[in-house]
Amino acid sequence: QVQLVESGGGLVQPGGSLRLSCAASGFGLDYYAIGWFRQAPGKEREGVSHIDSTGDHTYYKDSVKGRFTISRDNAQKTVYLQMNSLKPEDTAVYYCAAALTGGWGIPRRGDEYGYWGQGTQVTVSS
């Protein structure tokens, strides 16, 4: 069964850090780009950060540049999102998604991703 499972969310104070993990089961990640998306209540889903299948290329939404870092360990079939200097506006459900790219490019649109996790809640509040 193909599955992506996110973990690492929680409640953190402004300025704090969290590391999200996205673990794949039922398939290997070697030919998949991975994207982290988030959706806050009453808002549309947005792409936060994406990484190509090799980890050589990454993309960040402007508002998280310098604070978030995406990385991957294909041997462990896991992708990470390190989130530092968290702000209340980062509060959302965070989803990871996988797109089969064959090693080329970094999809950014949600509809380009075929596999999705169930999401993990991140709440930044004092």
Side-chain angles (χ1 to χ4, degrees):
Q1 180 182 2
V2 173
Q3 199 172 11
L4 293 173
V5 178
E6 303 95 337
S7 62
L11 173 64
V12 64
Q13 291 187 342
S17 298
L18 286 172
R19 188 175 82 153
L20 304 184
S21 298
C22 172
S25 62
F27 70 111
L29 292 180
D30 299 68
Y31 297 102
Y32 288 82
I34 301 296
W36 283 98
F37 296 80
R38 68 186 180 188
Q39 187 165 22
K43 295 188 177 181
E44 292 187 355
R45 183 181 63 194
E46 61 179 4
V48 176
S49 181
H50 310 269
I51 188 167
D52 71 353
S53 60
T54 63
D56 290 339
H57 300 93
T58 58
Y59 165 83
Y60 297 94
K61 177 180 173 63
D62 284 348
S63 63
V64 307
K65 283 181 182 177
R67 300 189 297 122
F68 290 12
T69 303
I70 191 170
S71 62
R72 65 189 296 157
D73 183 339
N74 284 354
Q76 296 297 320
K77 298 197 292 184
T78 303
V79 177
Y80 305 97
L81 185 67
Q82 178 67 43
M83 306 187 297
N84 298 328
S85 302
L86 282 161
K87 304 176 180 180
E89 51 264 43
D90 295 317
T91 295
V93 178
Y94 283 71
Y95 300 89
C96 67
L100 181 61
T101 63
W104 296 95
I106 308 179
R108 295 188 191 177
R109 299 196 322 266
D111 61 5
E112 297 180 280
Y113 287 80
Y115 299 111
W116 290 80
Q118 82 291 348
T120 186
Q121 176 70 47
V122 171
T123 302
V124 184
S125 175
S126 55

